[in-house]
């Protein structure tokens, strides 16, 4: 027996009144409801306007778009020098969008050569003839163009999966419109124009693909890539007016409601004998619903089908200029849409942004939202969201959104009034009692999200959030 136990035993023998350990056997303990560490603020669920989807699917009708959007090429890497393009992802290039000749895509991917670049290396210079097309496998490359008076200005950054050389299809003597310089060491994949020309002359399907792309590009479009509506303005007298109509997309996208589900099990003995002073089923259900709502928000951000990170248009994605999120980066992100209602960022990204502001002697705004004091930039509230992933190298993203159907923004989708509804869009259905006397309840939440027009959401990518060493 230890010295402490000896002292405790002596104190117990010499006590002159009832001890607390014995007294607790007769007392009613004051207790809290079950607590949960995994509950977050869930600002995205709270700030999204929710559309009622009575048929289980929501169709987004849009005006016909003629401009072919671009995407990101993907890579397979077996080693530092063994980097290969995944052939099927070459259809993310505008000129190959919808191309189905898998054999030729595989041959085309095989003709890209691996080329390492070092920080500061100039890949191509403005005004030079285009003799190669590049796809960035890894690294950051800055686009620099000379201004009207000869000054050099940065026009953005391209990074992993981006491509350079679209100008090659513009005419008989294509030239680079900008200078591209590597900001970091990296790897690019290069395809010589001669190799592409050889395949072009050999493959009839490729010639048809390129011809269709050029014909589509030659049609009249507005600044957003939509088919033009013929108008007349500024004329005098009896000028003949043009006739026109507004064309729609023939195959609009449909968003189906996606379930988040679990089966809650409660033993009948627990709900029969241990139901006071707290209802065991209700406490179990409350925490289960919290977890479902957490996963529901995660899906709204990360789901590959309808998640906001994966549904932002390529032209609405930009890279940071220097790595960490700066005021200049957020200004550029806000300038990409006609209105922005909210910014969404990982808490560590917000901290990194504050560090950059402190370096410049800038003090971000604050705003009141639902009684909470939140940071803001240019009057737009900056909401924390831990569901935005932080990847390798401490890289994350910042989202900017315009919300609401009346403003052609981002909307949440759900259906209310479903059977056994517990909360809007969430129901709890009794599934019976099994042979082990366990009662089962199916808990389901249905939701999705839709981006009504491409500029409703923008993403600042490759945001570096690691704190620098002092």
């Amino acid at each position: 027996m230890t010295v402490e136990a000896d002292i405790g035993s002596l104190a117990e023998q010499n006590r002159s009144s009832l001890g607390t350990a014995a007294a607790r056997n007769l007392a009613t303990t004051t207790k809290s409801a079950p607590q949960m560490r995994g509950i977050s603020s869930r600002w995205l669920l709270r700030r999204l306007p929710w559309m009622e989807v009575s048929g289980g699917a929501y169709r987004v009708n849009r005006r016909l778009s003629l401009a072919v959007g671009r995407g990101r090429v993907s890579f397979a890497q077996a080693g530092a020098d063994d980097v290969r393009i995944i052939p099927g992802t070459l259809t993310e290039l505008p000129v190959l969008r919808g191309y189905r000749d898998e054999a030729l895509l595989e041959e085309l991917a095989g003709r890209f050569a691996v080329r390492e670049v070092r920080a500061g290396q100039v890949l191509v210079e403005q005004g030079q003839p285009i003799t190669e097309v590049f796809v960035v496998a890894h690294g950051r490359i800055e686009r620099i163009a000379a201004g009207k008076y000869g000054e050099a200005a940065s026009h953005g950054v391209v990074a992993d999966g981006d491509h350079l050389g679209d100008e090659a299809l513009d005419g008989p003597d294509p030239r680079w419109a900008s200078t591209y310089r590597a900001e970091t060491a990296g790897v690019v994949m290069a395809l010589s124009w001669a190799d592409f020309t050889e395949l072009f002359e050999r493959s009839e399907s490729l010639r048809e693909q390129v011809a269709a792309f050029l014909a589509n590009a030659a049609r009249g479009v507005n600044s957003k890539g939509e088919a033009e509506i013929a108008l007349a303005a500024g004329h005098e007298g009896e000028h003949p007016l043009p006739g026109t109509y507004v064309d729609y997309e023939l195959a609009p996208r449909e968003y189906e409601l996606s379930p988040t589900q679990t089966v809650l099990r409660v033993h009948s003995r627990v709900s029969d004998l241990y139901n006071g002073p707290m209802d065991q089923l209700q406490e179990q259900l409350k925490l289960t619903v919290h977890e479902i709502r957490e996963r529901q928000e995660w899906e709204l951000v990360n789901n590959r089908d309808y998640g906001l990170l994966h549904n932002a248009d390529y032209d609405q994605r930009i890279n940071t200029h220097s790595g960490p999120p700066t005021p200049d980066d957020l200004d550029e992100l806000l300038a990409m849409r006609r209105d922005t209602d909210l910014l969404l960022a990982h808490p560590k990204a917000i901290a990194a942004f504050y560090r950059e502001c402190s370096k410049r002697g800038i003090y971000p705004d604050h705003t009141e939202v639902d009684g909470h004091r939140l940071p803001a930039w240019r009057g737009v509230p900056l909401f924390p969201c831990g569901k935005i992933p932080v990847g390798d190298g401490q890289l994350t993203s910042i989202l900017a959104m315009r919300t609401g159907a009346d403003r052609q923004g981002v909307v949440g989708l759900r259906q209310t009034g479903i059977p056994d509804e517990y909360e809007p869009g969430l129901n709890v259905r009794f599934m019976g009692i099994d042979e082990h006397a366990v009662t089962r309840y199916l808990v389901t939440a249905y939701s999705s999200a839709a981006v009504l027009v491409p500029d409703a959401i923008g993403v600042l990518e490759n945001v570096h959030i690691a704190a620098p060493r002092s």
Side-chain angles (χ1 to χ4, degrees):
M1 186 175 291
T2 63
V3 175
E4 291 81 359
D6 289 339
I7 295 174
S9 177
L10 290 173
E12 185 72 20
Q13 295 172 9
N14 297 329
R15 188 176 59 241
S16 60
S17 63
L18 182 66
T20 56
R24 286 185 61 191
N25 292 329
L26 301 182
T28 299
T29 303
T30 302
K31 59 184 72 68
S32 73
Q35 305 298 303
M36 178 176 171
R37 293 195 303 174
I39 298 175
S40 67
S41 54
R42 299 200 293 262
W43 279 112
L44 180 59
L45 290 183
R46 293 157 65 181
R47 302 308 300 177
L48 269 185
W50 290 93
M51 296 287 294
E52 183 67 24
V53 181
S54 57
Y58 184 78
R59 180 181 299 157
V60 178
N61 289 307
R62 289 178 179 172
R63 183 174 159 186
L64 178 64
S65 177
L66 296 178
V68 180
R70 58 179 65 195
R72 293 245 166 91
V73 177
S74 299
F75 304 87
Q77 184 168 357
D81 300 322
D82 187 7
V83 182
R84 292 168 292 168
I85 291 177
I86 298 175
T89 65
L90 284 174
T91 58
E92 295 295 331
L93 304 180
V95 68
L96 296 176
R97 181 61 56 86
Y99 189 58
R100 300 187 181 280
D101 189 337
E102 295 180 2
L104 192 135
L105 287 174
E106 188 167 349
E107 184 177 355
L108 184 62
R111 296 202 179 196
F112 277 85
V114 178
R115 186 176 301 173
E116 293 187 2
V117 294
R118 63 183 183 276
Q121 178 181 341
V122 175
L123 199 62
V124 295
E125 291 188 359
Q126 184 176 1
Q128 288 183 338
I130 298 178
T131 59
E132 293 179 301
V133 177
F134 300 96
V135 178
V136 183
H138 175 67
R140 292 166 53 87
I141 297 178
E142 184 181 18
R143 179 187 173 200
I144 304 169
K148 180 179 180 181
Y149 301 102
E151 76 284 3
S154 175
H155 286 219
V157 174
V158 293
D160 305 5
D162 295 334
H163 58 278
L164 320 172
D166 289 2
E167 300 93 330
L169 296 172
D170 288 346
D173 185 26
R175 295 183 178 273
W176 290 103
S178 306
T179 295
Y180 289 92
R181 183 180 63 196
E183 280 195 338
T184 65
V187 176
V188 299
M189 308 290 287
L191 173 70
S192 71
W193 190 242
D195 277 345
F196 181 81
T197 303
E198 191 270 325
L199 288 176
F200 176 82
E201 292 174 350
R202 175 156 53 91
S203 171
E204 182 178 354
S205 64
L206 184 58
R207 290 197 299 272
E208 293 175 352
Q209 176 75 17
V210 173
F213 170 78
L214 294 175
N216 190 50
R219 296 176 62 183
V221 298
N222 62 14
S223 61
K224 302 297 184 181
E226 297 169 326
E228 276 188 345
I229 297 176
L231 301 172
H235 52 279
E236 296 180 1
E238 297 180 353
H239 188 82
L241 300 180
T244 191
Y245 67 96
V246 181
D247 206 352
Y248 304 135
E249 289 186 354
L250 295 179
R253 178 170 179 180
E254 290 190 353
Y255 295 84
E256 293 187 356
L257 294 182
S258 175
T260 303
Q261 295 178 300
T262 190
V263 176
L264 174 63
R265 297 189 294 266
V266 180
H267 200 286
S268 59
R269 184 193 308 116
V270 172
S271 56
D272 289 345
L273 303 179
Y274 303 98
N275 228 27
M278 297 179 188
D279 188 316
Q280 292 282 0
L281 173 60
Q282 290 304 316
E283 295 301 325
Q284 288 277 304
L285 192 56
K286 181 179 68 175
L287 298 184
T288 301
V289 168
H290 273 301
E291 191 63 37
I292 282 181
R293 293 301 191 195
E294 293 291 332
R295 182 55 184 262
Q296 195 176 13
E297 186 176 64
W298 188 94
E299 295 288 337
L300 289 175
V301 174
N302 298 288
N303 186 284
R304 297 200 66 86
D305 182 37
Y306 60 86
L308 300 179
L309 276 177
H310 297 284
N311 279 270
D313 194 76
Y314 176 90
D315 293 329
Q316 294 296 319
R317 298 173 182 268
I318 58 173
N319 282 274
T320 57
H321 286 87
S322 58
T326 65
D328 294 336
D329 292 324
L330 289 196
D331 282 343
E332 186 175 353
L333 185 63
L334 293 177
M336 295 170 67
R337 64 201 44 76
R338 62 176 182 263
D339 229 348
T340 303
D341 294 324
L342 61 94
L343 293 161
L344 207 64
H346 193 281
K348 291 184 178 180
I350 297 176
F353 175 66
Y354 266 69
R355 285 196 298 269
E356 294 302 310
C357 289
S358 297
K359 289 180 183 178
R360 294 160 172 77
I362 298 173
Y363 300 94
D365 304 329
H366 286 83
T367 186
E368 292 282 339
V369 179
D370 297 341
H372 296 268
R373 185 171 170 81
L374 294 170
W377 182 248
R378 307 295 189 193
V380 180
L382 182 55
F383 293 96
C385 179
K387 312 301 189 305
I388 298 176
V390 176
D392 296 337
Q394 293 291 287
L395 296 178
T396 185
S397 302
I398 297 177
L399 287 81
M401 285 187 285
R402 180 177 67 250
T403 59
D406 56 336
R407 303 170 65 231
Q408 297 186 323
V410 179
V411 295
L413 307 176
R414 70 183 180 193
Q415 183 179 149
T416 60
I418 56 180
D420 301 317
E421 191 169 57
Y422 182 80
E423 289 182 357
L426 183 148
N427 65 356
V428 180
R429 311 201 74 174
F430 177 66
M431 297 178 64
I433 304 175
D434 64 18
E435 64 275 11
H436 302 290
V438 174
T439 309
R440 295 174 299 147
Y441 300 88
L442 176 64
V443 187
T444 307
Y446 298 98
S447 64
S448 186
V451 180
L452 299 189
V453 295
D455 78 339
I457 183 169
V459 183
L460 178 65
E461 297 185 309
N462 294 319
V463 176
H464 190 240
I465 60 176
R469 296 179 63 185
S470 57

